[in-house]
Amino acid sequence: LLEIEILRYQFKNQIATSIESIIWLDVDQFFGIEFEEFPARIAEVAMWLIDHQMNMQISSEFGQYFIRLPLKKSARILHADALELDWNELINKNELSYIIGNPPFIGAKIMTAKQRGQIVKIFESSPGSGTLDYVSGWYVKAAKYIHGTTIKVAFVSTNSIVQGEQTSLLWKPIIERYEAKIHFAHRTFKWSNEAKGNAGVYCVIIGFANFDTNSKKLYEYENVRGEAHEVNAKNINPYLVDAKDIFISKQSKAISLAPKMFKGSQPTDGGNFLFTEDEKNKFLILEPLAEKYIKPLISAHEFLNGERRYCLWLAQAQPDEISRMPHVLSRIRGVKDMRLKSTKPATVAWAAYPTLFTENRQPKTDYILVPSHSSENRTYIPMGFMTSNDILNNSCLSIPNANHYHFGVLMSSMHMAWVKTVCGRLKSDFRYSKEIVYNNFPWPYSPNAKQVKAIENKALKVLEVRTLFKTSTLADLYNPLTMPMELLNAHRELDKAVDLAYRPQLFLNEIKRLEFLFELHRQYLATNNP
């Protein structure tokens, strides 16, 4: 089609004497690698079919019948494993112009041992390579292959390669070692095809080469099912943002001044410490002395959906008190037996401490609760203040000693832009993490007292509006389809206050927020590591 467009322009004022003499493209200029033999043969036939269709179209365009018979040329499609094959065996890279592909979508956790070994080998056993998705192998192999050439590459792949810890592990060698530059990119969109049983996946398309260009294009989507709109970019970084190349890696502490975040506590108890509301009430009839040791247990599910669950929390219980509670002793015995039967040495070792959670990170003060997982459909991740009596499950994160200013910034569109771009995903849902998301988040730099107060007031308003809907859960309140106007307006006012703590002007959209945040992140790192 591109060739026809060129020929149409070239011969707009003249007649081509022979179509055959002006056509450049033929099927033998196309090469491919296919893992399964039958699809490899189908691809060869498909190339003849599409060639015939194009011949009919160019015949119509120039008024001369053109057909290639007998078939003398063919696309060369190898039946091979693209990660094992030396691509120069298919075609020497000095003869190649473009590489395009749709590599397999296989997540790191479901790869076979052989597939994981292939990725580790391609990444030369670099730290963390065993955690990368299968598609990453094609990116690095292509980057190696095109090094020192003018070949352009573009792949369709899952958006996992531009999210979370995986982004830095993949793109750092591609950009720093193999000197690739991203020329264009489609940000996340939902893609499905006509394959039987196909489920829509969240994809990106990334085009890159071993040279730079002044004509970089970003394709943005208002929503993942919408149409793209094109914007010019000065530089496209691995997170598909118009900002300098940056690699966000795990940070053990926050890059800016922010209270510490902790993961919730993990019982590893086989269910022996846990109770529903009904189970708790029945247990206390049998064991009334245990009442002071039964605490609310808050997981992400309970927090978001307004449900109640409880646990036996014996961290401060005296041995003589426990001895007077036979039903509690029975539960403790169940914990010990469960841990002894575990195949994990660390869990077996914890059988020596059957009254305790295996991981106790319970805050000693009030804290902000952050769910580790939250629906991608929410404009904001619901967070809230909890007391030290609320035992936090390991499906949540806590920020002890945090105040309404911290809550306000975390509940803002500024923070959500960062979350959506750098966090990992569970399927398509947000997977919030301490080391990647929170510790790397660039908080406002030296906000003045007036700015802090404005954020605190707007944060309090958000909390106040929530209380107006006493029968609604946080899941109800933050569902975009049911979010009350009063709450949405309170958040929009909070967004303005947070924006103005970063700079004197409001941000027009999420992309502008991200551009600012990536630059601020770079400045924070430069300040911390002069």
Side-chain angles (χ1 to χ4, degrees):
L1 290 173
L2 286 169
E3 184 183 38
I4 290 172
E5 193 174 326
I6 293 168
L7 294 175
R8 185 185 298 134
Y9 177 82
Q10 186 176 355
F11 291 96
K12 64 181 178 180
N13 295 321
Q14 55 183 301
I15 298 174
T17 56
S18 168
I19 295 178
E20 190 170 0
S21 66
I22 65 172
I23 291 178
W24 173 62
L25 284 174
D26 206 338
V27 289
D28 65 338
Q29 292 169 279
F30 294 84
F31 304 80
I33 308 166
E34 170 53 51
F35 188 74
E36 300 288 347
E37 184 171 11
F38 191 52
R41 303 290 77 85
I42 290 174
E44 290 175 335
V45 176
M47 290 301 295
W48 279 320
L49 291 173
I50 196 69
D51 181 57
H52 178 70
Q53 290 176 341
M54 291 298 98
N55 292 340
M56 293 301 95
Q57 187 162 333
I58 203 166
S59 297
S60 175
E61 186 77 29
F62 287 92
Q64 298 178 31
Y65 182 69
F66 175 69
I67 189 170
R68 288 189 178 114
L69 285 175
L71 297 172
K72 297 179 180 179
K73 297 179 179 181
S74 173
R76 188 181 178 202
I77 313 294
L78 283 188
H79 167 216
D81 186 329
L83 291 187
E84 299 289 346
L85 180 73
D86 179 354
W87 293 357
N88 283 296
E89 293 180 20
L90 178 61
I91 178 174
N92 187 289
K93 64 182 181 181
N94 295 321
E95 302 174 30
L96 194 63
S97 301
Y98 304 99
I99 299 172
I100 58 175
N102 172 21
F105 300 162
I106 304 176
K109 292 184 179 179
I110 60 173
M111 287 192 297
T112 65
K114 179 183 177 182
Q115 290 167 338
R116 183 168 287 103
Q118 288 178 305
I119 299 302
V120 170
K121 181 180 177 182
I122 287 172
F123 278 81
E124 300 172 9
S125 300
S126 61
S129 55
T131 65
L132 288 163
D133 290 348
Y134 200 43
V135 69
S136 64
W138 274 258
Y139 277 86
V140 167
K141 186 152 186 171
K144 292 180 182 179
Y145 180 76
I146 69 172
H147 195 247
T149 73
T150 58
I151 299 170
K152 296 179 180 180
V153 182
F155 289 136
V156 181
S157 56
T158 48
N159 62 357
S160 58
I161 64 165
V162 295
Q163 295 171 342
E165 187 180 7
Q166 193 160 191
T167 311
S168 180
L169 294 173
L170 170 60
W171 288 99
K172 195 175 177 85
I174 290 177
I175 291 174
E176 293 186 348
R177 188 184 309 168
Y178 303 115
E179 304 173 297
K181 295 294 292 183
I182 297 175
H183 287 197
F184 75 89
H186 283 255
R187 304 191 81 216
T188 297
F189 62 95
K190 192 170 187 179
W191 179 68
S192 59
N193 58 42
E194 296 176 358
K196 184 179 180 181
N198 174 74
V201 291
Y202 291 84
C203 294
V204 292
I205 304 174
I206 302 176
F208 60 97
N210 190 224
F211 59 91
D212 205 353
T213 178
N214 291 325
S215 180
K216 297 185 178 77
K217 305 290 184 184
L218 261 176
Y219 297 88
E220 300 172 356
Y221 295 78
E222 291 299 326
N223 64 76
V224 293
R225 295 172 181 82
E227 294 297 319
H229 63 273
E230 177 188 295
V231 296
N232 295 321
K234 293 179 181 178
N235 187 69
I236 303 173
N237 74 13
Y239 299 89
L240 308 188
V241 174
D242 186 1
K244 293 180 180 178
D245 290 333
I246 192 169
F247 309 102
I248 295 174
S249 55
K250 287 184 175 180
Q251 297 286 343
S252 59
K253 61 181 182 179
I255 63 169
S256 37
L257 290 175
K260 286 185 178 182
M261 173 177 274
F262 299 90
K263 189 178 179 181
S265 300
Q266 182 166 323
T268 320
D269 65 328
N272 288 284
F273 284 149
L274 309 182
F275 303 90
T276 63
E277 183 96 41
D278 186 53
E279 289 169 343
K280 178 202 74 165
N281 293 336
K282 289 178 180 178
F283 185 78
L284 287 177
I285 292 172
L286 298 172
E287 196 75 276
L289 293 177
E291 185 170 11
K292 67 177 180 178
Y293 297 114
I294 293 184
K295 310 276 189 182
L297 179 69
I298 312 297
S299 72
H301 178 80
E302 279 83 35
F303 174 71
L304 295 171
N305 294 283
E307 297 178 9
R308 304 288 288 176
R309 195 162 57 138
Y310 301 86
C311 70
L312 263 177
W313 185 256
L314 302 168
Q316 285 79 43
Q318 297 298 315
D320 61 317
E321 291 181 291
I322 296 174
S323 298
R324 292 194 294 271
M325 295 184 287
H327 294 281
V328 169
L329 282 171
S330 177
R331 295 272 182 153
I332 294 170
R333 194 173 296 111
V335 172
K336 184 180 183 74
D337 291 343
M338 171 264 161
R339 292 176 182 175
L340 285 172
K341 292 175 183 176
S342 175
T343 57
K344 298 179 180 179
T347 302
V348 173
W350 270 99
Y353 312 98
T355 61
L356 303 176
F357 280 31
T358 54
E359 297 176 17
N360 177 0
R361 306 185 191 89
Q362 178 61 18
K364 293 180 173 57
T365 66
D366 292 355
Y367 58 91
I368 291 176
L369 181 154
V370 181
S372 294
H373 300 106
S374 181
S375 170
E376 51 135 353
N377 296 321
R378 295 184 180 119
T379 307
Y380 306 93
I381 295 177
M383 303 176 193
F385 284 93
M386 310 301 293
T387 73
S388 59
N389 196 53
D390 296 310
I391 307 301
L392 191 67
N393 182 267
N394 63 322
S395 63
C396 302
L397 301 153
S398 71
I399 312 173
N401 303 308
N403 56 35
H404 289 101
Y405 164 74
H406 302 116
F407 175 80
V409 174
L410 294 174
M411 287 299 304
S412 71
S413 289
M414 200 71 175
H415 180 244
M416 282 305 301
W418 183 259
V419 171
K420 287 190 278 186
T421 302
V422 307
C423 80
R425 301 287 176 123
L426 183 64
K427 294 183 179 179
S428 61
D429 290 344
F430 303 128
R431 187 171 62 191
Y432 200 102
S433 67
K434 177 180 70 173
E435 293 87 356
I436 291 291
V437 181
Y438 183 79
N439 285 349
N440 276 293
F441 177 60
W443 289 72
Y445 190 82
S446 299
N448 59 44
K450 183 179 178 181
Q451 292 167 335
V452 170
K453 189 64 177 176
I455 292 172
E456 289 175 342
N457 289 339
K458 300 304 181 183
L460 283 165
K461 183 64 176 178
V462 167
L463 292 170
E464 178 188 323
V465 171
R466 286 184 187 178
T467 65
L468 300 178
F469 303 90
K470 300 185 186 302
T471 61
S472 299
T473 67
L474 287 171
D476 297 326
L477 292 174
Y478 284 89
N479 181 336
L481 298 177
T482 58
M483 189 175 192
M485 179 182 65
E486 296 91 335
L487 183 59
L488 181 59
N489 289 340
H491 269 284
R492 286 175 173 169
E493 290 301 311
L494 175 59
D495 286 341
K496 292 177 184 178
V498 173
D499 278 3
L500 295 174
Y502 279 95
R503 70 177 193 183
Q505 308 84 27
L506 298 177
F507 293 94
L508 296 177
N509 51 44
E510 185 174 288
I511 293 299
K512 293 302 179 185
R513 288 188 172 99
L514 285 171
E515 291 171 4
F516 186 93
L517 286 171
F518 273 102
E519 176 58 24
L520 185 57
H521 182 276
R522 188 191 67 78
Q523 292 174 16
Y524 268 122
L525 288 187
T527 302
N528 296 340
N529 303 285

